[in-house]
Every structure is written in structure tokens, then in C-alpha cells.
Amino acid sequence: AQTVTQSQPEMSVQEAETVTLSCTYDTSESDYYLFWYKQPPSRQMILVIRQEAYKQQNATENRFSVNFQKAAKSFSLKISDSQLGDAAMYFCALPRSNDYKLSFGAGTTVTVRA
Amino acid sequence: EPEVTQTPSHQVTQMGQEVILRCVPISNHLYFYWYRQILGQKVEFLVSFYNNEISEKSEIFDDQFSVERPDGSNFTLKIRSTKLEDSAMYFCASIAGLAGANEQFFGPGTRLTVL
């Protein structure tokens, strides 16, 4: 079974500052992907960034980057230069390789202070 | 840009009634999923669907739930006799194939309220 754990229910960040969201996971697969999804108040699920486990280089998408530590099964998301529009719930997700069924963490609510 | 659509956006029903939640996945996608999110909680897998049959279902997906793809475009989730605890957001998702870093595209969700 695959599990995803997000231990921070809420995080608050000042506008223009940086916030890091933690995620740990467990899987028996050796080759897999990891995703971070953003869920704003509209409840739409939006893919923020993805990481391929066999790539040592951490993924980056504009102000979003990850710190992927495969041995520690850790996959944190860093939001740099936080903007008011970044306020949302963020979910770490792990797809199972044979059917891409997603296992989600409990989510972290990010609040951005103006 | 192609997108997954879901109707209705909000459904209110009485306990014991049947509801059908509708989804139109992206047209060339082959794999379809329903997920559920009770307010403030994590997103949970309900069922996956491929080649006109269920690939896998979770323990949540009991005999009260069913899915079908009646016409090659719509993908529906039916709850035969709703319970209060079925109140949640229901998300449909689709994916083109099971290779690489393919992304599941999510619909905007249907908020189901059971009274």
C-alpha cells in the first residue's frame, strides 16, 4: 500500500517570503512520480509541480520548487516570493504505477499575509 | 485547452434519494477516476475505470455506488440511496495513458449535500 503524510495542517507566510511544505511517503515501487496539487477556495485541483523519482535533480516551476530526498522518502514543496494568490490547500500525491491511482496526503492550508 | 467538466456543480438531495453525478473527461483520455473529499479532509480514491469496466474500487465504493460510461463521452457516478455521510465534493479525473509523468486532469468537482 502507498501512503502519503503531510504533518503540517496549516502554514502562514508573509507576502514575498518563502514557505516550505513537508511531505513524506511510503511506496514499494522503485520508479515513481510525485505531485503537488493546489486546491484554491474554488476547490479545483491544479497540478503545481511533478518530480520523477529516478531524476536526482529537483523539479522547479517558476516560484515553486521541490526538495526530493529519495532515501528519506521526503518530498517538500518550497514556494518562493509568496503571493496572495498562492493561498490554498496543497496536497502531496503519489500515483501508483500500474493504474495511476493517486494517494493524497491530508493537505496543508497555506495562508498568505499581506 | 481541453478540460474535464462536471455537472452539476452543486447537488442537494434528501437522504435515501438517488443521485447521478456527471463528468465529461478529456476526449482522448483512456483512464477515468472518481475521488471524494469530505469537507476539510483529504481526497480519497473511489474508483478507477478503463475499457468500459471498473479497474479498482475502494472500500468506500460499496453496492450503493456504480459508474458507467454510457455513450463514450460521459462518465457517471451514481449513488443509489444517499446517506448523510455521502455529503462531500466529488471529483472526476482522467488521464491519457499510464506512462511517464502523465498528469491526471481533474474536473471542478460536484458538491453533494445530503439532507
Side-chain angles (χ1 to χ4, degrees):
Chain A
Q2 304 199 132
T3 60
V4 179
T5 302
Q6 292 178 251
S7 58
Q8 305 156 313
E10 297 179 2
M11 294 288 282
S12 180
V13 61
Q14 189 72 37
E15 198 174 6
E17 298 293 309
T18 295
V19 64
T20 299
L21 312 182
S22 64
C23 171
T24 58
Y25 61 92
D26 193 22
T27 179
S28 58
E29 299 176 352
S30 58
D31 193 13
Y32 51 89
Y33 298 87
L34 289 155
F35 300 119
W36 277 99
Y37 280 90
K38 172 184 178 181
Q39 187 182 43
S42 67
R43 308 296 293 274
Q44 175 80 52
M45 297 289 283
I46 303 164
L47 181 66
V48 173
I49 197 166
R50 75 191 84 190
Q51 174 76 41
E52 301 173 61
Y54 67 87
K55 286 190 176 178
Q56 293 189 345
Q57 185 174 10
N58 289 322
T60 298
E61 289 285 345
N62 300 314
R63 297 181 295 104
F64 297 87
S65 61
V66 300
N67 182 4
F68 175 54
Q69 303 287 330
K70 189 173 183 180
K73 293 186 176 175
S74 169
F75 181 58
S76 61
L77 174 70
K78 184 168 80 172
I79 308 173
S80 303
D81 185 25
S82 297
Q83 300 175 0
L84 296 177
D86 295 333
M89 196 154 188
Y90 289 80
F91 291 96
C92 179
L94 172 64
R96 192 167 63 181
S97 60
N98 64 336
D99 62 2
Y100 276 50
K101 163 192 164 184
L102 288 170
S103 296
F104 287 89
T108 298
T109 300
V110 172
T111 304
V112 182
R113 306 186 305 273
Chain B
E1 185 175 326
E3 59 182 14
V4 177
T5 60
Q6 289 186 244
T7 54
S9 57
H10 191 190
Q11 174 90 48
V12 181
T13 189
Q14 295 291 326
M15 189 170 58
Q17 295 296 305
E18 175 183 286
V19 294
I20 297 176
L21 310 183
R22 291 183 168 79
C23 168
V24 179
I26 294 172
S27 64
N28 63 340
H29 283 191
L30 300 176
Y31 296 83
F32 314 108
Y33 310 82
W34 282 102
Y35 294 88
R36 181 180 83 173
Q37 184 185 30
I38 295 172
L39 186 64
Q41 297 186 23
K42 71 191 309 182
V43 180
E44 301 172 290
F45 168 79
L46 287 178
V47 66
S48 56
F49 191 86
Y50 169 69
N51 202 25
N52 283 321
E53 62 183 24
I54 290 174
S55 301
E56 182 178 347
K57 56 186 180 180
S58 72
E59 60 274 11
I60 302 168
F61 195 90
D62 62 21
D63 292 344
Q64 294 301 312
F65 290 86
S66 63
V67 290
E68 64 175 6
R69 191 160 156 79
D71 55 12
S73 61
N74 290 284
F75 178 49
T76 62
L77 174 68
K78 181 162 70 176
I79 310 175
R80 290 188 184 83
S81 178
T82 50
K83 301 187 283 286
L84 295 176
E85 54 265 36
D86 293 328
S87 295
M89 281 289 287
Y90 288 81
F91 292 99
C92 172
S94 69
I95 192 169
L98 304 183
N102 273 338
E103 169 191 352
Q104 278 190 34
F105 288 83
F106 283 80
T110 292
R111 182 188 299 273
L112 176 65
T113 301
V114 182
L115 302 176

